Amino acid sequence: MTADTILSTSPAASPGGKSRGRRLTLPRLLIIISIGLVGLALVHLLTGADDVSSSGAIQAALESAVPIGLAGLGGLWAERAGVVNIGLEGQLILGTWFGAWGCLHFGPWLGLLVGILGGALGGLVHAIATVTFGVDHIVSGVALTILATGVARFLSFLAWEGKPGGGGSTQSPTVPHQLPRISVPGLSSLDGLEKKHWFLISDLVGVLRGLLVDVSVATILAVILVPLTWYLLWRTSFGLRVRSVGEDPHAAETVGVNVYRYKYYAVLISGGVAGLGGAFLSTVASTIYREGATGGRGYVGLAAMIFGNWRPGGLAVGASLFGYTDALQLRRGSDSVHALLILVGALLVAVAIYEFRRKHWMLMGVSLGLAVLSYLTFFLVHTIPTPLVQAAPYVTVLVTLALVAQRLRPPAADGKPYRRGS
Amino acid sequence: MNRRIDPAKLVPQLVAPVAALVLAAGISAVVLLIADKSPLTAFSGMLDYGTTPDSLVEILNKTTENYIAAVAVAIGFKMALFNIGTDGQSRIGAFFAGSLAGASWMSWLPGQLKIVLIIVVAAIVGALWASIAALLKMYRGISEVISTLMLNSIAGFLVTWLLNDHWGVQGPGGQIKTTPILPKSAWMPSLPLVGGTNNEVLGFFAIAVALGVVYWFLLGRTRFGFDLRATGWNPSAAVASGVDARRIILTTMLISGAVAGLINLPRMLGETHTYTEGFASIGFTGIAVALLGRNHPVGMAFGAFLWGFLARSQIILDLDEIPKEIVLIMQGVTVFAVVIAYELANRIGATAQQRRVGATADKAPVAAAAGASLTIEETK
C-alpha cells in the first residue's frame, strides 16, 4: 500500500459508467489522427518548419515510437497481472545488449530472438523477487535496472574489449546485417508532391510516406504486437486469467487460477516484449549497442501505458506522441519544436476552456498560464536550444500525464504483493 | 524499553544483510570463474588496495556523498514515497548554488558565508525541483516514480543548456564549461581523519554525520516524524487519525529534495570548487544504500561505506586483468539479495512470533496480544 491510496478521491475511484464512453474506438482514433494531421499542416503552413510533417521526420518518429511502445506493452502485460514493472528500463538494456550480441553472432532475426530472451531473463529476476519473495515492486525494478547496467557492461567487456571490430566495455562493434525494409508500392514516387509544400496534401503525403515507405519488418512486427496483445488479453481465457490476477488475486485463486504461475507468465512476457524493444534499438534504429542508448525509454514507455489507461490502443497513441517528440531532435529539432509551440499553446487553450466549463479554476489557470508561456516563447525566441529540444519528450510526458492522470483506472490489485492464504 | 526489542524478530533482521552479502560475493565469484578469472585474486587485491590510507580517505569521501544520497531517498521511503529523482535534484541544486555564489556580483560576500549560501541555495533549489513531483502527485495523481524520473532527464538538459549557453565559464585548461571557480576563502577545509597519508577527508563529512543525527531525531523523536512513518505504514489509518495527506506528501518531498540538493556539494566545496556536468550521478546509488541500510541512520552509513569501498577498490582489478565491471554486478546482486533477505527475515520473524504468541495466548490473552501489536509496529 502506498500513499496513492489516500489521494484517490478522483473519478478513478468509480469505474464503469462513464469510462466506457472514453474507450478508444476506431472512429475516435480516426478523429484524433485527423485533428493531429490538420494541426501539423497548420503549423507547417504558418511557420514553414518543414520537418514537423516531412516523411523523414515521421519515419524517425515511428522508429522512436517502437521501443517506447514495446516497453509500454511490456509494462501492460506485467501490470495487467498486478506487477508494476519499473524494471522495464533494465529489461530494455538487457535487450539492447543481447540483441546486438545475437545479431553479431547469428544474424538479425535470431538477434531479435536473443534480445527477447535477454529481456525475459530480466523479467524472470523481477518475477522471482516480486512474486515469489514479495519484494516491493518498485524496489525490485530499480534493483533490476542497477543489475542490468552491470551485467551489460561486464558482458560487453568479456565479449568485445580488445577484440577486433572497435567494441569495448561500453559499446559493441557495428552490427553487420540489417533486417529487410519494405515499402508500399507507388508511394515512393510521390516525393515531388511532398516537396511542393501544399497545405494538408503535402503533409498527408509526408506522413504516409514516413509510415509506409522503407519500413523495417521489425517495425511491422512491433505494430502487430499491439492488436495481438489486445486479443490475447481480452479475448482468450489465458488473458482473462492474467487480468483476473491483476484485478483480484484472492478471487482468482478461489476459482482455481494459479495466481503465482500467471504472474510469472505475465512478467516473463513483459520482459520479453521489452527485450524486443531493446533489440530494436540496437539493431534496427541504430547499428550498434551503446551503453546508455536506452536513455530512460523504459520509463517513457511506462508513461505511455499510463497515458493509454492500461489498454493497448491508448498505449499506442501515447507511444506515437512520445516517439514523435523524441525524434524531433534528430532533424532540425530547434525549428520544429519552436513551430510546434503554436500547437501546444492551442491545445492548452482548449484545455483551459474545457476546465473553465467544468469550473476547475486552478487547472484552468495553470493551463492558461502555460499557454501564455508557450506563445511568449514562440514570439520572443526564434529557435529552441538543442538541450531543451532533447528534453521535449520528457516534458511532453509530464504535461500529458498531468492532463489525463486523474481519469485513469489501473488494475485494482496493481503493485500489491500477493501471498497465498494471507 | 527492553520489552520492545524482540530477539525472535531482531536476529533474522541482523543475519539477513550478512547472508545477502555472502551470497552476493559467492555469485560474483561464480561469475568470475565462468569468465576464467580467479575470484581469490580479485577479492584479496580489492581488500589490500581498499585498506591503504589513501584509499580510506577516498572511500570516506565517497561514503559522504553516498550517505547524503541515501538519506534523501530514505526520507521518502519512510512514507512509501519513491523519490527516484535525487539525481536531478542534486544536479540542479549544485548548479544554481555554484552559479550564484561564483557570480562576480556576489564577490563582496565573505568566503565562509558563501559556503553557507551554497548549502542553503542548493537545498532550496533541490526542494523546489522535488516539489514539482509532489504537486503533480497531490493535484493530478501522477505517480512520483514516473514524474521524478522525467524530472531527472529534464534537469540534466536544463543544466546543460544554462551552463553551456548562459552562465558557464571556460574551465581551466579544459574544453568544458563550468560554473565560476569559487575564491579560496570559500573552499571548505578538509579533515585530517586518516593517518599515514597527506590526503584529507572532505570537510562535508562532518555535515553528513550531522545530517544522520538530524534524520534520526526528526523521524524517530518528533511529531512530524511520527506522522510521516504512520502515513507510510498505513495511509488510511493515518488520515483517519488526522494527518493531512497532501501536506505530508509535500513536506516529505521538500525535505527529501533539499537533502538531495546537497549530494554534489562535498566535492564541489572541497575538491573541484566549481560545478561541471562531469559529476557522477549517484541517484541510484542512494536508493541502493537506503535499501541496504533499511533506512536506518547507522545501517545506511555501513551501506554507504561498503559502496564507497567497492567503487574505490575496483580500480586495482584492471592491473590483474580482471574486468572491474564485476563490481557493478556485485552491487546489483547485493541489492537484490538484501531486499529478498529482509523480506524472508520478516516472514521468519513473524512466524516465530506468531508461534510464541499462540503458545502464551491461553495463559494471558490480553497481554500477549498487546505485546505482539507493539513489536509488529516497531519492526515493520
Side-chain angles (χ1 to χ4, degrees):
Chain A
M1 180 179 279
T2 70
D4 290 324
T5 41
I6 46 177
L7 289 176
S8 54
T9 51
S10 61
S14 56
K18 270 187 181 173
S19 73
R20 202 164 179 83
R22 290 201 192 92
R23 194 168 287 176
L24 198 69
T25 55
L26 190 65
R28 272 164 199 274
L29 190 66
L30 289 177
I31 291 172
I32 293 175
I33 291 172
S34 316
I35 293 174
L37 192 65
V38 172
L40 286 185
L42 275 173
V43 169
H44 187 182
L45 182 74
L46 289 173
T47 62
D50 297 335
D51 271 325
V52 294
S53 63
S54 70
S55 56
I58 299 300
Q59 187 177 25
L62 183 61
E63 293 206 343
S64 298
V66 167
I68 293 172
L70 286 175
L73 271 185
L76 181 72
W77 273 99
E79 299 213 2
R80 275 294 167 185
V83 178
V84 173
N85 191 356
I86 198 87
L88 283 171
E89 180 74 8
Q91 288 144 7
L92 215 56
I93 292 172
L94 291 172
T96 53
W97 191 89
F98 279 98
W101 182 80
C103 191
L104 281 163
H105 286 270
F106 313 114
W109 282 109
L110 284 173
L112 288 187
L113 188 66
V114 175
I116 292 173
L117 291 177
L121 205 64
L124 180 66
V125 174
H126 191 56
I128 291 173
T130 55
V131 180
T132 303
F133 292 107
V135 171
D136 184 281
H137 298 180
I138 308 278
V139 165
S140 168
V142 170
L144 179 65
T145 307
I146 297 174
L147 182 63
T149 316
V151 168
R153 199 186 287 176
F154 184 74
L155 291 177
S156 300
F157 181 91
L158 289 186
W160 300 317
E161 180 83 30
K163 306 263 169 69
S169 64
T170 56
Q171 67 175 47
S172 72
T174 308
V175 172
H177 303 291
Q178 285 247 314
L179 287 169
R181 288 175 178 270
I182 53 177
S183 304
V184 172
L187 280 171
S188 314
S189 54
L190 290 176
D191 188 34
L193 196 56
E194 190 191 336
K195 293 243 164 61
K196 291 232 165 54
H197 301 305
W198 290 338
F199 173 67
L200 204 53
I201 295 169
S202 295
D203 299 297
L204 184 64
V205 170
V207 170
L208 284 179
R209 272 167 44 86
L211 294 179
L212 301 175
V213 174
D214 222 13
V215 183
S216 169
V217 287
T219 309
I220 297 169
L221 185 69
V223 172
I224 291 173
L225 277 181
V226 176
L228 185 66
T229 295
W230 173 82
Y231 179 80
L232 285 176
L233 279 176
W234 273 274
R235 287 294 178 272
T236 64
S237 53
F238 173 76
L240 180 65
R241 287 182 193 138
V242 168
R243 286 185 298 123
S244 73
V245 161
E247 295 290 346
D248 192 339
H250 298 283
E253 192 84 56
T254 314
V255 296
V257 176
N258 187 334
V259 174
Y260 290 155
R261 183 185 298 170
Y262 276 89
K263 278 181 188 265
Y264 260 89
Y265 287 152
V267 179
L268 279 174
I269 295 173
S270 167
V273 176
L276 178 64
F280 184 93
L281 264 179
S282 59
T283 65
V284 180
S286 73
T287 56
I288 192 170
Y289 159 81
R290 195 177 278 123
E291 187 176 287
T294 54
R297 282 186 180 78
Y299 309 129
V300 176
L302 209 58
M305 179 206 70
I306 295 171
F307 172 85
N309 199 9
W310 285 264
R311 298 188 65 90
L315 179 159
V317 174
S320 312
L321 176 65
F322 301 149
Y324 179 76
T325 49
D326 189 25
L328 286 172
Q329 55 183 293
L330 299 173
R331 301 170 63 94
R332 281 179 290 174
S334 302
D335 296 335
S336 301
V337 172
H338 179 250
L340 286 168
L341 281 175
I342 297 185
L343 202 58
V344 173
L347 281 175
L348 287 168
V349 169
V351 171
I353 293 170
Y354 176 70
E355 299 297 349
F356 172 75
R357 291 176 56 178
R358 291 179 53 195
K359 298 193 169 62
H360 286 176
W361 306 119
M362 199 185 76
L363 276 175
M364 188 202 79
V366 172
S367 310
L368 216 54
L370 287 175
V372 170
L373 197 69
S374 302
Y375 282 119
L376 273 182
T377 318
F378 177 77
F379 287 114
L380 294 178
V381 187
H382 291 293
T383 61
I384 305 296
T386 312
L388 299 189
V389 173
Q390 290 171 312
Y394 308 102
V395 177
T396 313
V397 167
L398 279 189
V399 173
T400 45
L401 283 189
L403 293 180
V404 301
Q406 298 229 312
R407 273 169 238 151
L408 305 176
R409 197 195 78 87
D414 201 8
K416 292 181 184 140
Y418 171 77
R419 265 192 93 188
R420 193 174 287 158
S422 71
Chain B
M1 208 43 207
N2 276 336
R3 285 197 56 218
R4 292 166 63 178
I5 297 172
D6 178 1
K9 296 214 72 166
L10 193 67
V11 170
Q13 296 288 337
L14 290 178
V15 171
V18 178
L21 285 178
V22 172
L23 181 71
I27 290 179
S28 312
V30 171
V31 171
L32 281 174
L33 281 176
I34 293 171
D36 209 15
K37 311 280 178 193
S38 157
L40 217 60
T41 323
F43 292 157
S44 67
M46 283 173 75
L47 200 62
D48 284 345
Y49 181 68
T51 45
T52 61
D54 276 346
S55 289
L56 216 55
V57 170
E58 179 55 25
I59 290 170
L60 285 177
N61 291 346
K62 286 188 194 295
T63 306
T64 306
E65 297 172 303
N66 295 348
Y67 188 68
I68 299 171
V71 169
V73 174
I75 293 166
F77 273 165
K78 277 283 185 183
M79 77 150 279
L81 203 62
F82 291 89
N83 180 8
I84 311 189
T86 49
D87 190 42
Q89 291 144 21
S90 69
R91 279 177 190 281
I92 208 155
F95 167 73
F96 274 95
S99 300
L100 181 69
S104 52
W105 51 269
M106 287 295 289
S107 55
W108 53 272
L109 197 69
Q112 287 89 342
L113 285 182
K114 267 190 185 153
I115 294 179
V116 176
L117 179 80
I118 286 176
I119 293 173
V120 171
V121 171
I124 290 176
V125 175
L128 286 178
W129 195 250
S131 74
I132 301 176
L135 292 173
L136 285 172
K137 186 183 179 71
M138 288 156 61
Y139 293 109
R140 304 304 300 153
I142 302 179
S143 159
E144 76 284 2
V145 176
I146 295 286
S147 60
T148 50
L149 283 165
M150 296 299 127
L151 287 167
N152 269 351
S153 304
I154 298 171
F157 291 121
L158 200 61
V159 168
T160 306
W161 172 53
L162 289 174
L163 196 60
N164 289 315
D165 293 3
H166 292 278
W167 303 340
V169 297
Q170 211 68 41
Q175 292 150 357
I176 52 163
K177 290 275 188 81
T178 71
T179 58
I181 307 270
L182 296 170
K184 265 218 168 81
S185 59
W187 296 9
M188 195 177 236
S190 47
L191 311 165
L193 287 182
V194 182
T197 169
N198 289 329
N199 295 343
E200 295 184 341
V201 176
L202 295 172
F204 222 84
F205 180 80
I207 295 183
V209 173
L211 187 70
V213 176
V214 172
Y215 168 79
W216 166 80
F217 184 81
L218 183 73
L219 282 153
R221 292 288 177 274
T222 64
R223 164 78 198 271
F224 169 76
F226 180 79
D227 284 352
L228 189 146
R229 285 179 299 142
T231 317
W233 285 327
N234 191 338
S236 331
V239 169
S241 70
V243 172
D244 181 343
R246 288 188 174 183
R247 219 181 90 189
I248 204 138
I249 288 177
L250 183 63
T251 324
T252 308
M253 210 60 183
L254 282 175
I255 299 175
S256 176
V259 175
L262 307 178
I263 294 173
N264 282 324
L265 297 193
R267 305 248 177 222
M268 191 173 121
L269 288 171
E271 197 173 284
T272 61
H273 314 297
T274 175
Y275 178 79
T276 73
E277 288 188 82
F279 276 68
S281 13
I282 56 169
F284 274 37
T285 303
I287 297 172
V289 170
L291 291 173
L292 220 58
R294 283 224 109 180
N295 308 326
H296 189 279
V298 180
M300 287 192 291
F302 279 115
F305 186 84
L306 176 68
W307 244 238
F309 170 81
L310 289 175
R312 167 71 181 185
S313 58
Q314 64 170 343
I315 300 173
I316 199 68
L317 291 177
D318 273 351
L319 290 183
D320 297 326
E321 291 189 346
I322 293 166
K324 61 175 183 297
E325 287 74 17
I326 186 69
V327 167
L328 280 171
I329 293 191
M330 225 185 271
Q331 292 178 332
V333 174
T334 306
V335 176
F336 257 115
V338 160
V339 290
I340 290 177
Y342 279 136
E343 197 59 43
L344 284 179
N346 262 347
R347 290 185 185 178
I348 292 168
T351 313
Q353 197 177 40
Q354 278 166 4
R355 204 168 289 139
R356 217 187 25 184
V357 170
T360 52
D362 301 330
K363 296 167 197 163
V366 182
S373 69
L374 248 184
T375 37
I376 284 166
E377 186 175 282
E378 213 34 50
T379 44
K380 205 163 187 181

